[in-house]
Amino acid sequence: MNISAIGSAEHALPLCRSYECVSFDAIAIPLDAAAGVRSVEMLWAVGILSDRLPHFLGCWPRAGAADVLWRSVAFDLHHRGVERIRFLLGPDSAEMTAAMACHFRSVTVLSASATAVDQALVDSVSPERRCIERAQEVAEQLTPYLKRAVARHGGFASPAAAAALLRERAERYVDANWPEPPELPPPLRSPRATACSALTAARS
């Protein structure tokens, strides 16, 4: 299996080099099929930059073995420019931990429940806890928002179509609720779109 082929063309979009925290969650997506509508689970992630700005990272269909899925996700993030992840919130699985460790050295994996990580774990990594708490905040708000968007849309033609809608809605929501501070001059900012564009230019 070519693990770089997971997801859709939207995963060609570059990402920033470093994230203080990345949080994973999942959402059920209805797909149109000849025999009727079926459902597939989509994994999605949001990353927190050093200035605590959130950045939507992408979506991946949860299909096949867990170890293959997490190797694919880790490869995709690394292939799109991510070099460092400090903290990772997600399912408490050996597969996720092993896959991420292959690409991101010194990543700390914090097990997350459906709503929040154990507060003791957050306290143990203070003062970095603010980025972890921001990741929780963004994920907790995005989850119901994306579920409503999916419910309004109905069945999707493919996981790629679902990923495109989730990205568009998530980025719109993030930009509206966590805007980049306009008072800071460009050299002192870590803008989401500009940082990714600069990464593409540097590597082309």
Side-chain angles (χ1 to χ4, degrees):
M1 172 183 169
N2 178 6
I3 62 176
S4 65
I6 190 171
S8 65
E10 63 101 14
H11 287 143
L13 296 173
L15 298 174
C16 298
R17 287 188 172 90
S18 177
Y19 292 92
E20 292 299 303
C21 185
V22 170
S23 178
F24 285 95
D25 205 341
I27 184 172
I29 300 293
L31 297 179
D32 291 326
V37 176
R38 62 185 179 89
S39 179
V40 64
E41 193 174 42
M42 295 286 289
L43 190 70
W44 59 270
V46 63
I48 305 300
L49 297 164
S50 59
D51 57 5
R52 289 192 286 153
L53 277 177
H55 185 195
F56 188 75
L57 305 185
C59 308
W60 305 266
R62 296 195 68 155
D67 60 336
V68 175
L69 168 67
W70 285 109
R71 286 202 304 271
S72 299
V73 172
F75 177 89
D76 183 44
L77 294 176
H78 187 260
H79 180 69
R80 291 162 62 203
V82 182
E83 298 174 358
R84 172 184 174 271
I85 296 174
R86 189 162 190 178
F87 298 105
L88 182 67
L89 306 181
D92 187 13
S93 67
E95 293 87 357
M96 179 186 69
T97 302
M100 292 296 172
C102 289
H103 291 285
F104 310 109
R105 290 192 290 179
S106 302
V107 61
T108 298
V109 178
L110 304 177
S111 174
S113 68
T115 55
V117 297
D118 187 330
Q119 191 61 43
L121 294 175
V122 176
D123 293 341
S124 70
V125 295
S126 182
E128 296 88 351
R129 60 184 295 173
R130 290 188 177 181
C131 286
I132 297 172
E133 290 170 343
R134 173 54 58 86
Q136 293 176 265
E137 174 193 0
V138 176
E140 288 169 2
Q141 293 187 36
L142 263 180
T143 295
Y145 176 79
L146 294 178
K147 286 181 177 179
R148 290 193 297 270
V150 168
R152 286 193 298 267
H153 184 279
F156 291 86
S158 67
L165 180 131
L166 290 176
R167 169 177 284 280
E168 187 270 331
R169 298 297 172 83
E171 289 182 342
R172 181 192 303 174
Y173 188 85
V174 165
D175 288 343
N177 289 276
W178 295 277
E180 298 169 15
E183 70 277 7
L184 295 180
L188 299 180
R189 298 169 63 191
S190 299
R192 292 174 284 251
T194 303
C196 293
S197 299
L199 176 58
T200 304
R203 295 194 171 199
S204 61

